[in-house]
């Protein structure tokens, strides 16, 4: 794994072999509070993300990612390897997902594939229609080994810290 300079493109960083921390949420979990945080220019991107994650962990809205849906999503994420990315860690929370991977193709293509296929599969499983995911996603390029470890540990402990009874089913990591 190499950590290097990343160029910015359309508000998302993308470069082949870049290691990315990506978070995306169910559309129904986004409310006024989250929009206010997102629009707060006094907070850094990392501060915004942390506040949003803490809030989403306590939120009941848009919590479709449970039981068999976890398996459906996890299976798809593993199937996209290694063509799209090399997956390091995943946490599937009830209303959002955290990913850590090294991209093998353009980031926007990866996210279109993940969000498009999972929306179809999850909606079909839940007999639901319409948009499943919030339009955008948060991404942060990993800068070095220390940053990688910090993000990996965050993803690993996310469901445990939220005190989810099925926390062990919600996490996948290559080092565990």
């Amino acid at each position: 794994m190499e950590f290097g300079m990343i160029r910015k493109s359309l508000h998302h960083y993308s470069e082949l072999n870049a290691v990315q921390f990506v978070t995306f949420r169910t559309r129904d979990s986004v409310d006024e509070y989250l929009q206010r945080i997102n629009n707060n220019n006094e907070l850094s991107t990392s501060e915004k993300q942390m506040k949003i994650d803490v809030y989403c962990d306590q939120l009941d809205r848009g919590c479709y990612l449970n039981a068999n849906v976890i398996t459906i999503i996890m299976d798809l994420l593993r199937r996209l390897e290694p063509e799209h990315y090399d997956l390091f860690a995943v946490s599937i929370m009830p209303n959002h997902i955290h990913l850590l991977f090294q991209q093998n193709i353009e980031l926007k293509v990866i996210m279109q594939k993940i969000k498009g296929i999972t929306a179809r599969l999850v909606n079909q499983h839940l007999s639901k229609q319409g948009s499943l995911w919030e339009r955008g996603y948060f991404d942060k390029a990993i800068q070095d080994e220390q940053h990688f470890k910090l993000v990996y540990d965050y993803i690993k402990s996310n469901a445990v810290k939220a005190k989810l009874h099925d926390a062990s089913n919600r996490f996948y990591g290559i080092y565990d």
Side-chain angles (χ1 to χ4, degrees):
M1 158 177 31
E2 289 182 30
F3 300 98
M5 294 300 295
I6 309 297
R7 69 177 167 265
K8 193 172 183 178
S9 171
L10 299 175
H11 305 292
H12 295 287
Y13 292 95
S14 183
E15 187 170 296
L16 292 184
N17 299 316
V19 177
Q20 298 278 5
F21 171 42
V22 177
T23 300
F24 57 103
R25 294 173 185 75
T26 59
R27 182 175 185 212
D28 292 343
S29 69
V30 179
D31 62 14
E32 248 180 76
Y33 177 76
L34 292 181
Q35 291 172 353
R36 272 198 318 270
I37 291 173
N38 245 350
N39 295 331
N40 184 338
N41 294 327
E42 294 176 13
L43 297 174
S44 72
T45 303
S46 296
E47 290 170 325
K48 288 179 187 181
Q49 187 61 31
M50 190 60 69
K51 284 183 175 290
I52 289 170
D53 283 351
V54 168
Y55 181 72
C56 281
D57 286 348
Q58 308 304 317
L59 193 63
D60 289 332
R61 294 178 47 159
C63 291
Y64 306 118
L65 314 180
N66 298 298
N68 292 338
V69 171
I70 296 168
T71 303
I72 290 167
I73 293 171
M74 201 68 81
D75 288 349
L76 171 76
L77 293 172
R78 299 293 308 279
R79 276 197 319 265
L80 293 176
E81 275 193 290
E83 181 181 340
H84 293 75
Y85 49 71
D86 295 314
L87 190 60
F88 298 118
V90 176
S91 180
I92 302 175
M93 299 298 285
N95 58 13
H96 65 284
I97 296 177
H98 297 293
L99 300 170
L100 181 62
F101 58 79
Q102 183 171 12
Q103 63 182 94
N104 296 330
I105 62 173
E106 190 70 30
L107 181 60
K108 70 178 182 176
V109 174
I110 293 170
M111 294 311 298
Q112 287 169 346
K113 179 75 81 171
I114 290 172
K115 290 171 78 176
I117 295 173
T118 57
R120 183 176 47 80
L121 293 173
V122 171
N123 279 343
Q124 183 179 20
H125 180 76
L126 297 176
S127 300
K128 190 174 169 340
Q129 292 184 3
S131 297
L132 176 65
W133 302 113
E134 178 186 23
R135 185 174 179 164
Y137 55 91
F138 167 84
D139 61 281
K140 177 76 174 163
I142 302 299
Q143 301 300 316
D144 55 35
E145 292 291 337
Q146 182 180 359
H147 188 201
F148 180 92
K149 183 176 176 3
L150 182 73
V151 170
Y152 186 94
D153 291 345
Y154 174 80
I155 291 172
K156 180 179 177 179
S157 65
N158 199 213
V160 173
K161 284 183 180 176
K163 298 182 176 149
L164 299 176
H165 70 281
D166 58 351
S168 62
N169 295 334
R170 294 178 174 279
F171 172 75
Y172 163 80
I174 63 168
Y175 300 115
D176 295 277

